[in-house]
Amino acid sequence: MSSGKINIAVYPGTFDPITNGHFDLIERGARMFDKVVIAVAASPGKSPNLGLETRMELVKKVCVSLPNVEVIGFSTLLTTMMHEQEATIILRGLRAVSDFEYELQLANMNRAQNPELESVFLTPAVENSYISSTIVREIAKLGGDVSRLVHPQVAEALRKHYTS
């Protein structure tokens, strides 16, 4: 029996830039939930290398084949944005044990703010387990090849960003 309510998951992050690891989780989340909202955080405190609009556009390009995925930008509390999206599921990735402690702390804080929120953790495919946006940025900044780590359009955007 269907309750008529759709399961909306939000995958928040800075996506500076979106990597193959991110896309792996998005694709799997899109199979698990009725709708996945990719919430690109403005995160001025983290001083992203790519602007919010650029990051959103790259996520849209990478996810174009997934009809139940929507991309938004946000600069509010995650719990506020979740309420605005009528979502109760936070999708997060865990690459290593070191991620777990931080993510557990965030999950508990989010649930303290709104007890209806649930965090769902996915682990990356083995071939993506070592990829992080930080590593991709460092390689791209130094003129290295990131084509096996990100979508071709992301690789091109990074090349242009760091050579201009």
Side-chain angles (χ1 to χ4, degrees):
M1 285 185 238
S2 173
S3 65
K5 183 180 175 196
I6 65 168
N7 282 320
I8 302 171
V10 171
Y11 183 20
T14 51
F15 303 98
D16 186 32
I18 183 170
T19 68
N20 290 345
H22 292 130
F23 183 71
D24 174 42
L25 266 57
I26 294 165
E27 195 172 39
R28 290 167 43 217
R31 291 194 304 264
M32 295 171 64
F33 303 106
D34 299 317
K35 179 179 176 183
V36 177
V37 176
I38 311 306
V40 182
S43 296
K46 283 188 170 183
S47 302
N49 283 270
L50 301 172
L52 178 61
E53 292 300 320
T54 300
R55 290 181 282 132
M56 288 175 57
E57 276 308 308
L58 289 172
V59 173
K60 286 176 186 176
K61 287 176 182 178
V62 170
C63 296
V64 71
S65 64
L66 304 171
N68 62 331
V69 169
E70 178 185 338
V71 179
I72 65 167
F74 80 106
S75 58
T76 62
L77 271 175
L78 176 61
T79 52
T80 301
M81 184 270 299
M82 297 285 295
H83 177 75
E84 291 167 357
Q85 293 297 313
E86 298 179 1
T88 57
I89 302 161
I90 303 169
L91 183 61
R92 299 292 291 166
L94 293 174
R95 289 180 307 241
V97 174
S98 56
D99 290 343
F100 180 76
E101 285 188 56
Y102 176 71
E103 291 295 341
L104 179 64
Q105 187 178 14
L106 284 181
N108 287 333
M109 183 56 67
N110 288 327
R111 199 171 22 244
Q113 301 245 331
N114 180 348
E116 293 182 15
L117 295 181
E118 291 294 341
S119 293
V120 174
F121 300 100
L122 296 177
T123 57
V126 174
E127 65 270 17
N128 296 320
S129 63
Y130 64 95
I131 302 172
S132 74
S133 293
T134 303
I135 291 170
V136 169
R137 279 194 313 271
E138 286 305 309
I139 293 169
K141 276 181 195 175
L142 297 170
D145 180 11
V146 296
S147 63
R148 291 190 325 252
L149 310 174
V150 297
H151 186 279
Q153 290 183 308
V154 175
E156 180 60 19
L158 290 172
R159 188 190 64 70
K160 284 181 181 173
H161 180 77
Y162 290 117
T163 58
S164 59

